[in-house]
Amino acid sequence: MGNLIQLPERKSLIEEYAEFLSSGKSAGTVRAYVQVVRELTEWIAKRPGSAGMFRPEQFTKTAMEIYLNELHKAGYSVSHLNKVKSAASSFAIWLIEEKEVMSRNPTRRIPLPTAPSLAPRELDSEQRYVLRNLVEKHCDLRGKAIFALGFWAALRVSDIAWLRMEDVHIGPKIGWIRAGYKGNKYREIDVVNEVRRPLAEYLEYGRKYKESEFVFTSQRSTRLTEDGIEHWFRKLKSLATKDEWELIKDIAFHDLRHDFAHRARESGWTLEEISYYLGHITKKGTPAISTTARYTQVSRKQLKDKLRLIK
């Protein structure tokens, strides 16, 4: 009947795998890998032929391809799919070399969808309306603050996830934050009232784990992770009506940052100003204009609209 690992025993197997990882990887990486493996093994255990058990022989290339495809359809980013594949590969190698219950790595030679090379997203007025409406109707104080930082301050998911209390300075009428976790390219930016108000309300009334050094916490942790923010955004979109869903189904949280760049450009900001605000800075500390230009490049729709103005 092959090697069987019953569901009640799977936790100890994952703990054993976590202990193996801890000798060579950071605590954060161990947590991320273990979470991926736990979700993957639970998914495999529910497939036909598994009988509610995780069977290493059911951890096949076919299973991995279908699992990644389901994640892709659910709206997970290509970056996240790469993380899942890396963690699954590590787990497979451990099962092969340490547990000796598999002979092949099922993650090898599995292609992943490529990130789109099209112009970065500019939302239209209806998409902005739907998203802001969903936030107003369904979000708690934490959700409203997270959305505001993406939509009105153009912060990356990583910037928000790693934002520390010491980097947030919010007063009655002014507000500024120090952001830039990615690449340690920190910059100090002022924020508009649309950010200051929800952030102030969250910090005063909605924040859990007040002893945490991080601004955003989850129900179970002192830091809300990048995956946690992506999950929250997908859950928010799932609350849309059918016609609303058709407008926002393929919008990712990072698209809010792209849209901010377009709106800033339309408001008269220079590329240098947008570069600084977005954190597009070179190693020499100068604005990375080429990166910002890609964010704000014209779209086919913009040119189509302006064709009508030609006399």
Side-chain angles (χ1 to χ4, degrees):
M1 294 181 61
N3 297 293
L4 301 183
I5 300 173
Q6 297 184 3
L7 285 176
E9 298 175 356
R10 193 179 66 251
K11 182 178 180 181
S12 61
L13 178 75
I14 292 179
E15 287 177 344
E16 188 178 347
Y17 171 63
E19 291 177 358
F20 169 78
L21 286 177
S22 62
S23 62
K25 295 186 181 297
S26 67
T29 300
V30 172
R31 286 194 297 270
Y33 273 38
V34 168
Q35 180 65 25
V36 167
V37 169
R38 179 176 290 111
E39 293 174 356
L40 172 62
T41 54
E42 289 177 353
W43 182 86
I44 291 175
K46 295 176 183 177
R47 296 311 99 197
S50 295
M53 304 175 185
F54 171 62
R55 300 167 177 254
E57 64 266 29
Q58 295 290 82
F59 185 13
T60 62
K61 183 177 180 180
T62 296
M64 198 68 211
E65 286 179 339
I66 293 176
Y67 182 65
L68 290 172
N69 187 51
E70 287 192 4
L71 293 180
H72 181 57
K73 288 182 178 179
Y76 285 88
S77 66
V78 175
S79 174
H80 180 78
L81 297 185
N82 272 300
K83 292 178 183 178
V84 170
K85 184 180 177 182
S86 295
S89 178
S90 170
F91 182 59
I93 293 171
W94 179 72
L95 290 174
I96 293 169
E97 298 181 354
E98 302 295 327
K99 304 301 290 183
E100 298 183 351
V101 293
M102 291 177 57
S103 59
R104 295 182 179 180
N105 186 341
T107 69
R108 293 189 62 190
R109 298 186 179 87
I110 293 182
L112 293 177
T114 56
S117 58
L118 301 176
R121 174 68 63 96
E122 179 183 9
L123 308 184
D124 61 35
S125 59
E126 289 188 342
Q127 291 171 321
R128 294 168 186 155
Y129 173 83
V130 170
L131 288 174
R132 294 177 64 183
N133 233 14
L134 288 174
V135 170
E136 181 179 348
K137 291 189 298 183
H138 300 294
C139 281
D140 58 10
L141 295 178
R142 187 188 70 169
K144 290 178 180 178
I146 291 173
F147 180 81
L149 287 169
F151 188 81
W152 292 107
L155 261 62
R156 300 180 179 91
V157 172
S158 60
D159 291 340
I160 297 173
W162 291 94
L163 190 63
R164 299 174 186 271
M165 290 296 297
E166 64 184 25
D167 294 326
V168 175
H169 305 269
I170 299 295
K173 295 183 179 181
I174 61 172
W176 63 275
I177 59 178
R178 181 174 180 267
Y181 174 78
K182 183 179 179 181
N184 289 320
K185 295 180 179 179
Y186 287 94
R187 77 274 187 198
E188 295 177 354
I189 58 173
D190 292 291
V191 295
V192 294
N193 286 334
E194 287 82 357
V195 174
R196 184 188 59 79
R197 283 194 295 264
L199 189 54
E201 289 182 7
Y202 163 71
L203 292 175
E204 185 171 359
Y205 303 111
R207 185 168 173 266
K208 299 181 183 293
Y209 299 112
K210 295 187 180 296
E211 71 282 0
S212 173
E213 63 180 312
F214 297 103
V215 172
F216 294 102
T217 62
S218 67
Q219 293 181 347
R220 295 176 294 179
S221 175
T222 56
R223 185 179 75 86
L224 180 63
T225 65
E226 291 91 328
D227 287 344
I229 294 173
E230 298 283 10
H231 174 76
W232 162 80
F233 191 65
R234 287 192 299 274
K235 185 175 181 181
L236 173 67
K237 293 196 301 176
S238 72
L239 300 175
T241 62
K242 183 177 180 180
D243 58 329
E244 290 174 333
W245 172 253
E246 290 302 318
L247 291 169
I248 65 170
K249 61 183 179 181
D250 61 343
I251 296 176
F253 188 86
H254 194 75
D255 290 328
L256 304 182
R257 177 174 165 86
H258 292 166
D259 187 58
F260 177 94
H262 281 287
R263 287 183 284 127
R265 189 64 168 153
E266 290 174 1
S267 298
W269 289 34
T270 66
L271 288 179
E272 289 84 356
E273 290 167 338
I274 298 174
S275 289
Y276 176 81
Y277 202 86
L278 296 183
H280 290 162
I281 307 297
T282 67
K283 292 181 180 180
K284 296 181 179 179
T286 58
I289 302 299
S290 59
T291 301
T292 306
R294 186 179 65 83
Y295 265 53
T296 57
Q297 62 183 288
V298 297
S299 66
R300 180 180 176 182
K301 179 180 181 301
Q302 289 173 311
L303 294 178
K304 182 179 180 180
D305 292 340
K306 289 189 175 181
L307 277 174
R308 301 190 181 96
L309 302 178
I310 297 178
K311 296 181 180 179

